[in-house]
Each structure stands twice: as structure tokens, then as C-alpha cells.
Amino acid sequence: MAHSIQSNIHTDKHDPVNVTNPEHAEHHIVSPMQYVMVYLTLLVFTGITVGAAFIDMGALNPVIALAIASIKMVIVLLFFMHAKYQSRLIKMTIGSGFFIFLVLVTMTLTDYMSRAWGRW
Amino acid sequence: MANANPTATHETLVHDAHDVHEHHDLPQLRHHFETEEQQREAGSFGMWLFLLTEIMFFGGLFMAYLLYRNWYYPAFATASNQLNVPLGTINTAILISSGFFMALGVWAAEVRKKNVLVLMLVLTTVFGYAFLNVKYFEYKEKWEKHHIPGATFDISEFVNPPIDAKTGKPTEEPLAPDMAQKTQLFFFLYFAMTGMHALHMIIGLVLLLWLIYRANRGEFTEGYVAPIENFGLYWHFVDIVWLFLFPLLYLINRHPLK
């Protein structure tokens, strides 16, 4: 009797459906070839961002610069930092961090932008 | 009867779990974790939480940059043109290379190639050092041009930009003296942001030396890769900060006098 309860607990702990269980996070090894591809992509985007800066696109310049930086960041996060192969717990942790940062920036900006009209 | 001793029951559970996964205990497996995967996951999770505090920390600096850039855009654009784009680009490539070798180092630890791991960590260190070396020459130039915020800060170059010998026109849009004073804010943020980034790299380079020493003793190529993996996360995070600093500080206004 005691033994069957015990094995039930055991089964629950290792329920294969429960993918959020950290113990079921697959340990994925990224291959060197993939790293080389990521490396080359990052170098190409660095070239693009420098080139784009010398073209006058008015208000679009900072937008494009930040877009390229964000693409590079996501590539680094996904592959160099293995975010793509992590458990949901860690994916959610990363996502919530960036989300909170964006909330803080947005709220600070709404405050500043609603004051000092015309003195920007 | 079997449950008479709770500790014994727990022991049984732990060992059952190991049998299922067919693992052999590493000496580094702490007693409060049930499995190596759990320990590894907890470690990564903790590292990511630390990196989130770092996002908030650098985020404050980026927030300050965003505001002052909007308020004093002409000063920011002119001051930004004092930064050296070729050096910044080379440094970006150097830093990406350093991160690339770090990523290969994590791979080497995972596939248990000790010599490759040590080599990759050394390359990471060399490129990290090269980055700081370039940064040193950039800082030195700012020092010589009196572009360090403070009592000796020189705005004359921004009020009366040098005349281009070929075209006979000023090389920069001249700034009014009060706006020219605001270039100090740009340089303050430049030194605060790149300086804090450089400090993170210096800390990283010290840790790397320690990791190279331990990797050379074969500590990370017997299945225990967490220190290498978590240091890799730190190093890539520092890379990411630079990926934003470079366009924001160096590339604001590279088509002046249109």
C-alpha cells in the first residue's frame, strides 16, 4: 500500500506531459557550424548598420539602427545564449524581463512627454 | 512499514529518479537537487535572474540617453560625430568574435574536448582584451581633445567648427554656446555607458582567467559544464549591451551638413 502511493508520487514527478518541469528541459548542444552561421550573420548586420547610418533617411535612421540592433540581440539570445533550447520557465523569465523593462520605459516616457510641451 | 523512516523513503525516490534517467552522479551534484538536470536548470534560472537585474541597470542608462537625446538632439548629433566610426566598427567585430569563441567554448565543454575548451577561452580573453585596448585609445583621444565632462571641457570646437580646407565650409553645423554645453551630457553618457560596459568586461576577463585555470585542470569537460555555460550567458549579455551602444553612440548623425 505504502509502496503504491510512493510510486504514484514518483510517476507524477516525472509526468512526460509536464513539459514545464525543469527536469524535462532538453539539453541541446548547438553545433559549431550553427555558431559559425550566427557569427557571420552578426558581422553582416554590423556592416549593414554602419552602411545604413551614412544614408540620410531622416527619422528612419534611428529606427533602422535600433531594429538591426534588436535583430542582432535576438540572434545572440536564441543561439549564443541557447534561449531557443531552454525550458519554458527560462523562456518566460527572459521574456518577462524585457517586458518589464519596456513597461518602465513607456511609463517614464508618458510622464516626460506629457510635461514641458513645446520645450522638447 | 516502509514509511517508518521518512528519510529512507526520500532516498528511495531520489535513486529511482536516477535509474529512470540512467545517470551517474557527478561529484558536483549538490544534495539538495534531485537530478543533475534540475541543478543545471536552477543554475541557469538564477543566472538569468541576475541578467535581468543587469537589463534594468543598463536600462536606466539607456533611458537617460533616450530622454537627453530628445531634449538636446543637436548637441548629441554633433558630439557623436567626434566618435571614431571605424574604431567602433572594428570593436564591434572584435566583441562579436569574442562572443563567438565563447559560444564555441561552451560547445567544447559539452562535447568534453578539454584542449579545445582551453583554446576557446584563451581566444575569448584575447579578443576581450583587444576590445578594451581599442577603447583605451578612444578614451585617450577624448582626453587629449578636452572632451571629458568637467571643468576643463572645451566647447570651442562645437561653437566654431573647423573649416574644411577643400570646400571652405565648416565641417560641422555650428552650435549655440548653450547647446554646445549640452555636448557634455552626451560625453557624460558616453563615458558612463561604455565605462560601465568596460567594467563588466574587465570583471569578465578576470573570471575568464580563473575559468581557463580550472578548465586546464579538466574540471569542465567531465560532464559538469554549468560554470562555463553561465559565464557564457554573462559574456553574451555584455555583447548585447554593446550591440545597442554602438549604433546609439557612434551612428546618430553620420550625414552632417546636408
Side-chain angles (χ1 to χ4, degrees), chain A residues 40-57:
Chain A
L40 294 178
T41 314
L42 289 173
L43 288 182
V44 168
F45 272 113
T46 303
I48 295 175
T49 197
V50 173
F54 284 92
I55 303 166
D56 190 357
M57 290 177 282

Side-chain angles (χ1 to χ4, degrees), chain A residues 80-92:
Chain A
F80 276 180
M81 299 174 91
H82 307 153
K84 187 168 187 271
Y85 311 104
Q86 297 288 359
S87 66
R88 258 185 223 177
L89 170 70
I90 287 184
K91 283 179 182 160
M92 294 293 280

Side-chain angles (χ1 to χ4, degrees), chain A residues 2 6 9-10 13-14 22-25 27-32 35-36 39 42-43 46 49-50 53-57 61-62 65-66 69-70 72-73 76-77 80-82 86-87 89-90 93-94 96-98 100-101 104-105 108-109 112 119-120, chain B residues 2-3 9 12-13 16-17 20-21 34-35 37-38 40-41 44-45 48-49 51-52 55-56 59-60 62-63 66-67 69-71 85 89 92-93 96-97 99-100 103-104 106-107 110-111 229 233 236-237 240 243-244 246-248 251 254-255 258:
Chain A
Q6 192 178 307
I9 295 168
H10 181 196
K13 265 187 179 329
H14 297 276
E23 289 180 37
H24 290 279
H27 178 203
H28 183 96
I29 297 179
V30 183
S31 72
Y35 284 138
V36 171
Y39 177 52
L42 289 173
L43 288 182
T46 303
T49 197
V50 173
F54 284 92
I55 303 166
D56 190 357
M57 290 177 282
N61 273 111
L66 281 178
S70 303
K72 285 160 89 178
M73 175 185 77
V76 171
L77 274 174
F80 276 180
M81 299 174 91
H82 307 153
Q86 297 288 359
S87 66
L89 170 70
I90 287 184
T93 308
I94 302 167
S96 61
F98 282 98
I100 292 171
F101 173 61
L104 291 176
V105 169
T108 312
L109 277 184
Y112 275 101
R119 285 192 281 132
W120 269 70
Chain B
N3 271 337
T9 311
T12 321
L13 272 176
D16 279 358
V20 170
H21 289 281
E34 284 205 356
T35 62
E37 290 89 343
Q38 193 191 41
R40 191 186 166 113
E41 178 83 0
S44 298
F45 182 60
W48 273 107
L49 286 185
L51 293 184
L52 295 193
I55 291 176
M56 298 307 156
F62 279 103
M63 182 68 230
L66 176 65
L67 265 182
R69 177 197 162 111
N70 273 304
W71 280 354
V85 173
T89 312
T92 307
I96 292 173
S97 306
F100 169 64
L104 284 182
V106 174
W107 169 79
E110 280 167 336
V111 297
E229 208 175 41
L233 290 180
H236 294 307
F237 171 80
I240 287 177
L243 291 184
F244 282 94
F246 172 57
L248 290 180
L251 304 175
R254 283 296 160 183
H255 34 80
K258 52 180 184 248

